[in-house]
Amino acid sequence: MDSNKAATQLLTESQITALENAFKAGDVEDRGVVDAGQVQFIVQQVLGDVLTVSEVRTLVQKGEAVGAATGVINLQEFKDLLIDLLHTTTTRWGALQTSLDGYVGFDTVLEQQRKKFLKKGFEFNLMVVGESGLGKSTLVNTLFKSKVSRTSCTNEPPQKIPKTVEINTVTHVIEEKNVRLRLSITDTPGFGDQVNNENCWLPIYDQINKQFDKYLTEERSVVRRKQIPDSRIHCCLYFIAPTGHGLKALDISCMKKLHDVVNIIPVIAKADTMTIEERDAFKDRIREDIAEAEIKVYPSSLLPEDEDVLQANAPIRKHLPLAVVGSDRALTINNKSILGRQTKWGFVEVENPNHCEFSFLRDMLLRTHMQDLKDTTHEEHYENYRRQKLSEEVGENNGAGA
């Protein structure tokens, strides 16, 4: 079989192009060859660190064997080497294709999973953080087109601003097209509303870690439930006041404390109080403040991304922080019912991307990135907490036994 044809069967076009470009970059003298010892680094540069130890060892040995006579390897030999590796090993990045003589049926596994997940239902836990009066409850209600915020779904009378930061969670079960979602909304009344806000982030930080510890305890239980209830915070919407002057010191300190334990999405509240020019200038200042303070916001650019994920995240990063407007009131405009706000000078349509960026936030949270938010929480934030917690316990046990 022709090696170029074989390569297209075993690797995607983007992988082949990336490998060829990496090979050419390694050919600094433009001789059409690279040192045999570079093969491993070229492959890992493109395919990441997903190669197993045995695969790396095999790759090095084959590269040395091919370049034994001259010490160098050309592009064709490089492709042949990869094809040989793919044919003899099973990798997570290869696309080994073997023709089937007839229908087998394993394509139904997706439908099997769908039925299983629909039966179990899904969980999503959202936290909103910001000063009072920024429309947090209204925005949450707008996102889910329902009275799901604590202040709107309880009969509690309006309360004075608490003297300390409180943590309040309300849980709903909502359903859409036979998909059941257990939704928990956690708000933080009292945040940023005190004379001294130095440590107002601490109750929030403790609450997030408390949910991690709760999950870890259940996970380590000798007799545990088949499905561990997940109360871990999957996303934190951080509301920024539309001051036009950049982030406050409180915003910077709070996000810096929280960005290692939760996915933070910064949003500019009540964006209709600014003109388009003011809004764009304000967003630029916030981006500068975030970059200067090295605050990690979701989606993080520090985590490895494949081509599809990169394409999905690029427009989100372009719009962060998202300038949003919330409204749970329907207006009739040209015989059409829309969510929006009526002002003396016109209408603000919440779901119109020309008016605000609410639709970007909704699509990201609910339509494109909900599962990724949950996966990032489990694989990054929770795993970091779990590793640290277990390391501390091991250290304590070693110290006690000394």
Side-chain angles (χ1 to χ4, degrees):
M1 179 183 294
D2 179 74
S3 60
N4 289 324
K5 184 178 180 180
T8 58
Q9 289 181 336
L10 297 171
L11 296 170
T12 65
E13 290 185 9
S14 60
Q15 286 175 324
I16 294 172
T17 301
L19 285 166
E20 289 176 347
N21 291 337
F23 184 92
K24 292 174 183 177
D27 182 14
V28 292
E29 298 181 4
D30 198 22
R31 298 179 298 162
V33 296
V34 298
D35 292 338
Q38 285 187 265
V39 172
Q40 172 191 348
F41 304 106
I42 292 174
V43 174
Q44 287 189 314
Q45 177 185 344
V46 176
L47 303 175
D49 58 354
V50 297
L51 292 176
T52 65
V53 175
S54 62
E55 289 167 351
V56 171
R57 189 183 302 115
T58 301
L59 191 62
V60 173
Q61 291 173 349
K62 290 181 179 292
E64 291 175 347
V66 172
T70 60
V72 295
I73 184 172
N74 61 37
L75 180 58
Q76 192 59 56
E77 291 171 333
F78 177 66
K79 287 184 178 179
D80 291 340
L81 181 65
L82 280 177
I83 293 167
D84 185 45
L85 177 67
L86 282 170
H87 276 307
T88 55
T89 60
T90 302
T91 68
R92 286 174 285 170
W93 49 267
L96 290 174
Q97 296 182 3
T98 301
S99 299
L100 301 177
D101 295 330
Y103 180 70
V104 177
F106 59 81
D107 61 331
T108 62
V109 68
L110 293 177
E111 180 63 18
Q112 296 171 39
Q113 287 182 323
R114 189 186 73 85
K115 290 180 178 178
K116 182 178 179 181
F117 288 135
L118 284 177
K119 185 177 181 180
K120 290 194 304 183
F122 300 86
E123 297 168 313
F124 189 65
N125 305 317
L126 179 68
M127 173 180 277
V128 290
V129 176
E131 301 170 22
S132 60
L134 293 181
K136 299 186 294 295
S137 297
T138 301
L139 184 72
V140 169
N141 291 341
T142 310
L143 279 170
F144 295 95
K145 294 187 177 181
S146 181
K147 304 290 185 181
V148 293
S149 68
R150 178 185 58 86
T151 55
S152 59
C153 69
T154 61
N155 296 321
E156 297 177 4
Q159 298 179 347
K160 295 181 180 179
I161 296 175
K163 295 182 180 180
T164 58
V165 178
E166 296 180 355
I167 304 295
N168 296 312
T169 301
V170 61
T171 300
H172 304 263
V173 175
I174 56 180
E175 189 169 328
E176 182 178 49
K177 294 183 179 179
N178 296 323
V179 177
R180 190 170 64 255
L181 177 69
R182 182 180 180 274
L183 173 69
S184 293
I185 307 293
T186 300
D187 64 354
T188 55
F191 175 83
D193 296 323
Q194 314 304 322
V195 175
N196 182 2
N197 293 303
E198 184 177 357
N199 291 319
C200 64
W201 55 268
L202 190 56
I204 301 171
Y205 182 87
D206 289 343
Q207 173 68 9
I208 295 171
N209 282 332
K210 180 181 177 181
Q211 303 313 310
F212 285 157
D213 193 63
K214 185 177 179 181
Y215 192 90
L216 178 61
T217 300
E218 183 69 28
E219 196 176 47
R220 298 171 67 184
S221 176
V222 176
V223 181
R224 62 182 181 182
R225 284 172 276 191
K226 291 182 180 179
Q227 184 178 359
I228 301 175
D230 188 3
S231 60
R232 297 169 298 181
I233 304 299
H234 300 129
C235 177
C236 171
L237 291 182
Y238 191 91
F239 285 70
I240 301 169
T243 62
H245 303 302
L247 291 177
K248 300 178 182 178
L250 171 63
D251 297 326
I252 293 174
S253 63
C254 181
M255 285 195 282
K256 285 278 285 184
K257 296 294 184 181
L258 299 181
H259 68 182
D260 284 328
V261 295
V262 70
N263 300 310
I264 297 177
I265 300 177
V267 296
I268 300 173
K270 297 188 174 181
D272 55 330
T273 60
M274 298 182 288
T275 65
I276 298 297
E277 293 77 12
E278 290 171 340
R279 186 186 74 182
D280 291 343
F282 187 40
K283 291 180 66 165
D284 288 339
R285 292 191 191 99
I286 293 175
R287 290 191 192 104
E288 292 173 2
D289 291 342
I290 288 175
E292 184 178 348
E294 297 182 336
I295 297 171
K296 292 176 281 189
V297 297
Y298 180 87
S300 175
S301 58
L302 301 178
L303 300 177
E305 298 175 324
D306 60 30
E307 189 173 336
D308 292 338
V309 175
L310 191 62
Q311 290 180 355
N313 289 341
I316 296 174
R317 294 194 180 104
K318 178 182 176 182
H319 287 91
L320 287 177
L322 298 173
V324 298
V325 177
S327 175
D328 47 13
R329 294 183 180 180
L331 303 175
T332 302
I333 302 176
N334 298 327
N335 295 321
K336 183 180 179 181
S337 180
I338 65 167
L339 288 174
R341 290 167 54 86
Q342 173 79 61
T343 66
K344 292 181 179 180
W345 51 86
F347 304 99
V348 177
E349 298 179 35
V350 169
E351 296 177 296
N352 187 337
N354 294 320
H355 291 191
C356 73
E357 293 167 331
F358 169 83
S359 60
F360 288 100
L361 176 63
R362 177 202 59 205
D363 291 352
M364 174 173 60
L365 275 182
L366 308 179
R367 302 181 182 182
T368 62
H369 284 67
M370 176 184 283
Q371 188 59 48
D372 187 68
L373 283 162
K374 297 175 65 174
D375 290 342
T376 304
T377 298
H378 181 74
E379 297 168 6
E380 297 294 328
H381 302 306
Y382 170 69
E383 187 59 30
N384 289 338
Y385 175 86
R386 176 181 171 279
R387 187 184 303 114
Q388 181 180 354
K389 189 77 172 179
L390 296 181
S391 297
E392 290 174 355
E393 292 181 5
V394 170
E396 291 175 358
N397 291 336
N398 291 339

